[in-house]
């Protein structure tokens, strides 16, 4: 299941939980349910659902002297093919300004056109 379709099926609480984890970059499960203002039981269910949907990672850890889990957002798969024209990388990648009249830019555009 793709990430977007998995996210479409989330409950409102699960969406809020996922957003919290993504915005914070990671949170301890013991703080997660407090931040969402839900019971620890409901917070655990939300986490289980997000883990099952492969939207977050959960690692065992010790926090404030207690065993808990650290919840972090799952890295998204990036589609770098959008930067390619055939075997040429987009000239827009990098620090230099691209001259729209340059041969490199023209060749990249031509590769895009001939891919179809």
């Amino acid at each position: 299941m793709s990430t977007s379709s998995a996210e479409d099926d989330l409950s409102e609480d699960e969406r809020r939980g996922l957003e919290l984890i993504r915005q914070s970059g990671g949170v301890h499960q013991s703080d997660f349910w407090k931040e969402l203002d839900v019971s620890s039981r409901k917070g655990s269910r939300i986490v289980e659902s997000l883990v099952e949907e492969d939207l977050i990672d959960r690692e065992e850890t010790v926090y404030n002297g207690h065993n808990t889990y650290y919840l972090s957002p799952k890295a998204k798969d990036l589609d770098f093919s959008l930067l390619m024209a055939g075997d040429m990388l987009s000239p827009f990648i990098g620090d230099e300004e691209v001259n729209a009249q340059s041969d490199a830019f023209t060749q990249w555009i031509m590769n895009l056109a001939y891919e179809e």
Side-chain angles (χ1 to χ4, degrees):
M1 182 179 288
S2 73
T3 301
S4 62
S5 63
E7 289 181 35
D8 291 342
D9 296 333
L10 296 178
S11 71
E12 184 60 35
D13 286 333
E14 291 166 341
R15 286 179 201 274
R16 285 187 7 202
L18 181 58
E19 187 66 24
L20 170 65
I21 293 167
R22 285 181 174 165
Q23 284 182 350
S24 65
V27 63
H28 290 94
Q29 187 165 326
S30 54
D31 292 335
F32 174 79
W33 58 272
K34 294 174 190 170
E35 299 253 350
L36 286 181
D37 195 27
V38 297
S39 69
S40 61
R41 185 175 182 165
K42 185 169 185 174
S44 294
R45 286 188 192 138
I46 293 169
V47 168
E48 278 295 321
S49 177
L50 295 176
V51 168
E52 284 177 18
E53 293 295 337
D54 205 28
L55 296 171
I56 65 169
D57 288 320
R58 178 175 60 181
E59 291 180 45
E60 287 185 44
T61 188
V62 176
Y63 176 62
N64 289 336
H66 300 286
N67 292 338
T68 187
Y69 293 96
Y70 187 74
L71 313 172
S72 57
K74 198 69 132 163
K76 293 184 179 181
D77 292 334
L78 302 176
D79 184 5
F80 291 105
S81 68
L82 300 173
L83 302 174
M84 302 298 291
D87 61 352
M88 291 183 67
L89 183 63
S90 168
F92 292 105
I93 305 300
D95 295 333
E96 298 175 20
E97 191 171 319
V98 175
N99 177 356
Q101 305 300 319
S102 73
D103 289 338
F105 180 71
T106 301
Q107 185 61 44
W108 188 76
I109 292 294
M110 295 300 286
N111 279 350
L112 276 178
Y114 289 119
E115 271 185 358
E116 306 278 320

